[in-house]
């Protein structure tokens, strides 16, 4: 919300020209992508059709109700005409009572129909959208890491949340509204022409003026508001950056300059807003003047005709009511059209995403193999070829890791250490050759079962928006509270968790509670210790932990993970002192393998790497 | 995802659409006003807001007048109708009808112009006041001390500066002004209707409470469901974000089904909440139009009877019904104002809470400019606590001669960073004193103190902008040569010169385009250019891949030259460059001396560095390796 939501309370209370103003304005301010509705192909609807079909009775009910509601709305003014012409003018008391009661009944019916209609359509839309949202989320989980690295996270998030919401909007109200609008428009036109063709013709000439006004200014207003949003976003980003970096700002005493910056940006923001307001207020005034014009003309022509005696007073009364019913959908037409264009864009986006191929597929049922139990944790890479883009990284790579072995992987950034892990854990599939666990090709293993054998601590630990307890339990969802605490103790995380406001129940979030990088890694260690995997992977797992604490954890790990095959990647050689064997990687090749002393003795490249870190002291 | 929209009502009456769009906002906002903030002592919101409005009093008065004129103009059309029907149509006076039409068109144009002027003026005032308030709030926040920011999340401060201020804008412009104009409209209609016929006037009056009660009960009943929608919505967004951020973890632990289970739970809750909210929408949204139409029907009845039996004319009846269709709009605004008032009060309380806050640390009266610093730093029996009774630092006494490098080591959380943050007065000591060249740091101005104490913090925070902007951050008008010199000392010059746009290259938001080592060196350059006599480094090589980024070592070494340097050290390399090492444990100085001395004298020190020492010696000396390992393990 950005504060321009002014409403139009001061605007003429004529009851016309104001209808839907707020919504129109709000829609103008939203910067959403649009697409032509004709762009939607049959295949784009595949993801949503089955969900809609499941609700077909609700769809039918919606159509029926729409027709009934429009009918009751259109009949009401006709009744006023009857009342005025046939009973009031003729002083028929019984008739007056009868028709008035009929009207009252009609309004009550209208209310209950609206109630049912609303429950029905919202129920329908929400059921469809709920299913779509679930499908979209499921797809995120199914897609490989490749998809995630190719697309920006923000873009993906917006795909799932915003696009589904836009679609939901169109479903919840858009479709029914348009349908109602069209039915009403047609019905009103018919009713009006039955009353008087000439007056109807006059209204039809003037009404498009309103539409034209809106159309003419709309594009510019939209552009202006988008500019306002952009400026606000810039201002917000600036404030956010400044608050996040406030310690630097204060340490360097540049508060004054920052204030001046902010003032300048606010001023620009102010001017942009006023420009948009100018256009908006102008459009509003024009629409309002046009509405007055229509009314004035109807009174003029209608009055003249009344004096001539060719229309009755009742005709005029009904006509005024019809005109109001007629003008509103026309005013809304543009924004409704836009809603559908936005929905079309959202739909196309989601459809495209749902079609994205899954490049690390589950094994076909016929090929599926289970791991022999107990899982021993022997890993073998056989003649593996792999590349991310076009640059080959691995070519004919061979490596065997024995059950229970502690293997260290060293090498410069870009040597392929993390890729090695990605292939072993099947985050990516090899292009040539194979990766196997206990002799079974990983592509034949069901992913859930397969991945349960691993636990990972990495450099950038991800904390989920959940309690500290559940974040550790992520390692093994079924674990008891005692087991969670025990794992935290072993990982040296117990002390700081206890100190948090609500201990293990404290809600953590990536952005919220400030866990230090080291603390996040301790949580990840607890996860790992709770999971007790067959294969543990420590990818720069102690980069944020001081060596003293690291030592403590390693001692505990040693006891718990004695049987477990462990792969350690580390920049700090100090971290690698407990491994059985080192693999030295260089540009996607395994340059050498052996213990630290063997490598230091015979490999010049290793010696150089090692000495850079220590010899300069 | 905008929560309010998902439960929107599909019915579309003239009045209905307006209500559903306007009515929803205050309910949502009201629910945001948590009881905790709502009950603050906040005598008169307007009284506190007045200073911000004072500069624009003339415009406010103008807006006030325009709003009332607009309201009065809005009363005219039904009057025209009445006159047209009863006077001219009955008398068959064509010229009269034409006059009425001309008048109507004139009023229409006039109304449009005045509406235009008042909309513009209203937005102008709103934007202006918001701007003033934001600037004031922002500068004030910038003055607050570290202790404030330690206890508040960036998002919270953001919400104060951006959203809360916007809330007040709505209150100060739309709220107060349109409340008046809508009350004028209501009073006008009541007066006109009563003057025509008291019975029908009473029907209008009776409608008012019916509508108000409906609106209130809708707001009240829909609020809990809307709160649930917001919560579920938040959780769903967060879980999607979690899933995207943590997809690697999720996959590696094979937790897809677990994640989907959590998602399903909230997806269902969201669905149920929307359905519950819609129950209220479906019932109450068509309620107001129903009241209006139903009472129109009753007016038809009563009016019809009156026309037949008295001198009540058809024109009056038709005009009356026109007034009834206008009934909902002003009432809606009044209800909205009530919601707005509650929200504004809460937002105002939060804003003024910040504005009332005095910075914990500011210049003491009579503070003098700190100049000609040599860099002799002394801690005299310094203790410090964030919370009473929990001393982080206890009785620290330390003498650091000018130009020396002192390394601070100790387990995480022992207070190393805190100790160093006392020197530039990010926090004030709880007891004891810190002096520079014998002068208490409290006796000099903050500005001069912080100019002389440069600091590179643990997480290097960079600002969006170019290399030049970032290096000159603390010295905005630095000459190009100074920037290049600082970059050279930080071993960054060569890298920057290799870029196509050199010093004008943008570093990306928070320096995303830079490696950890480059960011660190940029942070060094930023301090170097200010040429501080005293330098604080918080583990300069922490996040750096030593294998590929050895330039950082040279940069640090050269930066320390000629300055008193206090450095927090995790790595042996850093320690090796210190003249003296201070080992902290449990908030006290456990030992101090050179690396060699401490290895000899302090068992804790040996334990602390066991793994590093062993790794260091591992390459050169096998035997020593074994000793160190057993020593480390023995503890």
């Amino acid at each position: 919300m950005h504060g321009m939501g002014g409403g139009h309370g001061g605007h003429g209370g004529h009851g016309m020209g104001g209808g839907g103003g707020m919504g129109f304005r709000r829609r103008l301010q939203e910067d959403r992508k649009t697409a032509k509705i004709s762009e939607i192909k049959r295949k784009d609807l595949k993801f949503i059709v089955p969900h809609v079909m499941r609700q077909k009775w609700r769809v039918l009910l919606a159509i029926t109700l729409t027709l009934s509601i429009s009918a009751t709305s259109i009949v009401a003014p006709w009744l006023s005409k009857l009342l005025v012409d046939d009973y009031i003018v003729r002083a028929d008391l019984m008739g007056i009572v009868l028709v008035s009661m009929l009207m009252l009944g009609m309004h009550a019916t209208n209310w209950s129909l609206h109630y049912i209609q609303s429950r029905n359509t919202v129920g329908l839309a929400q059921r469809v959208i709920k299913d779509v949202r679930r499908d979209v989320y499921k797809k995120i989980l199914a897609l490989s890491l490749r998809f995630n690295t190719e697309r920006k996270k923000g873009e993906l998030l917006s795909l799932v949340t915003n696009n589904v919401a836009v679609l939901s909007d169109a479903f919840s109200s858009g479709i029914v509204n348009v349908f109602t609008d069209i039915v009403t428009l047609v019905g009103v036109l018919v009713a009006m022409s039955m009353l008087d063709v000439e007056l109807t013709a006059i209204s039809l000439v003037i009404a498009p003026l309103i539409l034209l006004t809106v159309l003419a200014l709309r594009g510019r207003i939209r552009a202006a508001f988008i500019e306002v949003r952009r400026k606000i976003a810039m201002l917000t980003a600036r404030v956010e950056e400044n608050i996040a970096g406030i310690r630097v700002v204060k340490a360097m005493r540049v508060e004054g300059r920052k204030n001046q910056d902010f003032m300048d940006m606010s001023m620009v923001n102010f001017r942009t807003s006023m420009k948009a307001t100018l256009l908006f207020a102008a459009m509003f005034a024009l629409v309002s003047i046009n509405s007055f014009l229509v009314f004035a003309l109807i009174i003029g022509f209608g009055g003249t005709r009344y004096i001539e005696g060719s229309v009755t007073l009742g005709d005029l009364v009904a006509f005024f009511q019809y005109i109001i019913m007629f003008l509103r959908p026309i005013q809304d037409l543009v924004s409704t059209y836009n809603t559908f264009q936005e929905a079309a864009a959202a739909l196309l986006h989601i459809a495209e995403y749902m079609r994205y191929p899954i490049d690390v597929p589950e094994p076909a049922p016929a090929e599926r193999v289970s791991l022999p139990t107990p899982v021993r944790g022997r890993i073998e890479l056989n003649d593996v070829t792999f590349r991310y883009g076009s640059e080959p990284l691995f070519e004919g790579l061979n490596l065997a890791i024995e059950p229970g072995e502690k293997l260290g992987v060293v090498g410069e950034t870009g040597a392929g250490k993390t890729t090695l892990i990605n292939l072993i854990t099947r985050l990516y599939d090899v292009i040539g050759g194979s990766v196997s666990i206990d002799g079974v090709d990983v592509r034949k293993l069901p992913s859930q079962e397969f991945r349960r054998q691993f636990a990972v601590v990495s450099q950038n630990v991800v904390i989920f928006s959940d309690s500290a307890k559940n974040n550790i339990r992520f390692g093994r969802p079924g674990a008891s509270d005692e087991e969670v605490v025990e794992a935290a103790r072993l990982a040296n995380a117990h002390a700081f968790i206890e100190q948090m406001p609500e201990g293990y129940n404290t809600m953590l979030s990536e952005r919220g509670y400030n866990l230090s990088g080291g603390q996040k890694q301790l949580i990840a260690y607890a996860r790992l210790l709770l999971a007790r995997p067959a294969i543990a992977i420590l990818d720069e797992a102690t980069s944020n932990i001081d060596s003293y604490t690291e030592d403590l954890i390693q001692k505990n790990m040693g006891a718990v993970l004695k049987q477990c095959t462990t792969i350690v990647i580390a920049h700090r050689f100090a971290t690698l002192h407990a491994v059985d064997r080192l693999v030295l990687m260089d540009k996607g090749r395994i340059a050498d393998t052996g213990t630290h002393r063997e490598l230091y003795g015979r490999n010049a490249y290793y010696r150089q790497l090692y000495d850079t870190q220590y010899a300069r002291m | 995802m905008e929560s309010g929209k998902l439960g929107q009502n599909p019915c579309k009456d003239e009045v209905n659409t307006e209500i559903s769009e306007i009515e929803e906002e205050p309910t949502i906002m009201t629910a945001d006003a948590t009881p905790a903030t709502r009950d603050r002592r906040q005598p008169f919101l307007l009284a506190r807001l007045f200073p911000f409005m004072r500069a624009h009093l003339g415009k406010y008065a103008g807006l006030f007048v325009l709003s009332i004129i607009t309201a009065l103009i809005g009363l005219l059309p039904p009057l025209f109708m009445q006159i047209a029907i009863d006077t001219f149509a009955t008398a068959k006076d064509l010229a009269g009808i034409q006059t009425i039409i001309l008048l109507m068109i004139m009023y229409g144009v006039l109304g449009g112009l005045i509406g235009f002027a008042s909309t513009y003026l209203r937005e102008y005032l709103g934007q202006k006041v918001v701007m003033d308030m934001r600037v004031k709030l922002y500068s004030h926040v910038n003055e607050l001390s570290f202790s404030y920011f330690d206890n508040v999340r960036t998002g919270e401060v953001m919400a104060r500066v951006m959203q809360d201020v916007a809330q007040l804008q709505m209150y100060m412009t739309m709220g107060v002004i349109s409340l008046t104009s809508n009350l004028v409209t209501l009073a006008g209609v009541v007066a006109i209707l009563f003057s025509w016929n008291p019975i029908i006037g009473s029907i209008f009056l009776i409608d008012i409470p019916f509508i108000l009660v409906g609106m209130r009960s809708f707001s009240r009943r829909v609020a809990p469901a809307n709160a649930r929608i917001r919560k579920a919505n938040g959780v769903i967004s967060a879980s999607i974000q979690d899933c995207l951020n943590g997809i690697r973890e999720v996959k590696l632990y094979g937790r897809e089904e677990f994640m989907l289970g959590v998602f399903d739970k909230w997806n269902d809750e969201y669905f149920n909440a929307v359905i519950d909210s819609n129950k209220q929408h479906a019932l109450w949204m068509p309620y107001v139009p129903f009241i209006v139409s139903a009472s129109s029907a009753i007016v038809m009845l009563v009016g019809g009877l009156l026309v037949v039996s008295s001198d009540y004319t058809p024109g009056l009846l038709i005009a009356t019904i026109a007034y009834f269709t206008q009934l909902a709009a002003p009432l809606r605004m009044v209800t909205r104002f009530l919601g707005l008032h509650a929200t504004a009060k809460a937002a105002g309380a939060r804003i003024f809470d910040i504005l009332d806050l005095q910075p914990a640390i500011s210049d003491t009266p009579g503070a003098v400019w700190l100049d000609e610093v040599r860099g002799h730093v002394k801690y005299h029996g310094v203790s410090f606590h964030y919370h009473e009774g929990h001393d982080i630092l206890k009785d620290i006494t330390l003498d650091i001669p000018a130009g020396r490098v002192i390394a601070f080591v100790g387990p995480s959380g022992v207070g190393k960073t805190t100790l160093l943050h006392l020197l530039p007065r990010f926090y004030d000591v709880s007891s004891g004193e810190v002096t520079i060249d014998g002068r208490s740091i409290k006796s000099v101005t903050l500005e001069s103190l912080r100019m002389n104490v440069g600091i590179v913090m643990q997480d290097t925070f960079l600002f969006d902008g170019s290399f030049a902007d970032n290096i000159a951050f603390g010295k905005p008008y630095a000459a190009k040569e100074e920037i290049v010199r600082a970059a050279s000392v930080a071993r960054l010059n060569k890298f920057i010169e290799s870029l196509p746009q050199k010093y004008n290259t943008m570093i990306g938001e928070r320096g995303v385009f830079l490696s950890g080592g480059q960011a660190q060196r940029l942070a060094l350059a930023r301090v170097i250019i200010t040429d501080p006599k005293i330098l604080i480094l918080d583990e300069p090589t922490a996040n750096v891949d030593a294998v590929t980024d050895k330039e950082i070592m040279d940069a640090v070494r050269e930066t320390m030259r000629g300055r008193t340097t206090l450095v927090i050290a995790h790595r042996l390399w850093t320690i090796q460059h210190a003249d003296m090492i201070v080992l902290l444990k449990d908030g006290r100085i456990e030992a101090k001396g050179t690396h060699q001395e401490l290895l000899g004298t302090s068992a804790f020190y040996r334990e602390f560095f066991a793994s590093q020492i062993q790794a260091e010696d591992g390459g050169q000396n096998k035997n020593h390796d074994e000793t160190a390992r057993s020593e480390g393990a023995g503890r």
Side-chain angles (χ1 to χ4, degrees), chain A residues 206 209-211 213 285-295:
Chain A
I206 300 296
L209 266 182
I210 295 178
L211 191 62
T213 314
L286 285 174
V287 169
S288 147
I289 291 172
N290 275 331
S291 311
F292 263 85
L293 209 64
V294 176
F295 259 69

Side-chain angles (χ1 to χ4, degrees), chain A residues 188-200:
Chain A
V188 166
L189 263 182
V190 171
M192 277 162 69
S193 359
M194 279 165 67
L195 283 175
D196 190 279
V197 177
E198 196 189 307
L199 283 182
T200 310

Side-chain angles (χ1 to χ4, degrees), chain B residues 103-147:
Chain B
L103 270 179
M104 263 198 87
I105 294 176
M106 270 172 53
Y107 272 110
V109 172
L110 190 69
L113 291 180
I114 291 182
F116 173 79
S118 65
T119 307
Y120 189 81
L121 198 55
R122 194 181 60 220
E123 290 296 339
Y124 178 90
L125 283 171
Q127 295 288 340
K128 198 84 188 173
V129 168
V130 152
M131 186 183 132
D132 296 348
M133 197 177 262
R134 271 199 190 129
V135 168
K136 170 133 198 221
L137 190 58
Y138 181 85
S139 337
H140 185 78
V141 166
N142 266 344
E143 283 308 310
L144 294 176
S145 310
F146 276 45
S147 51

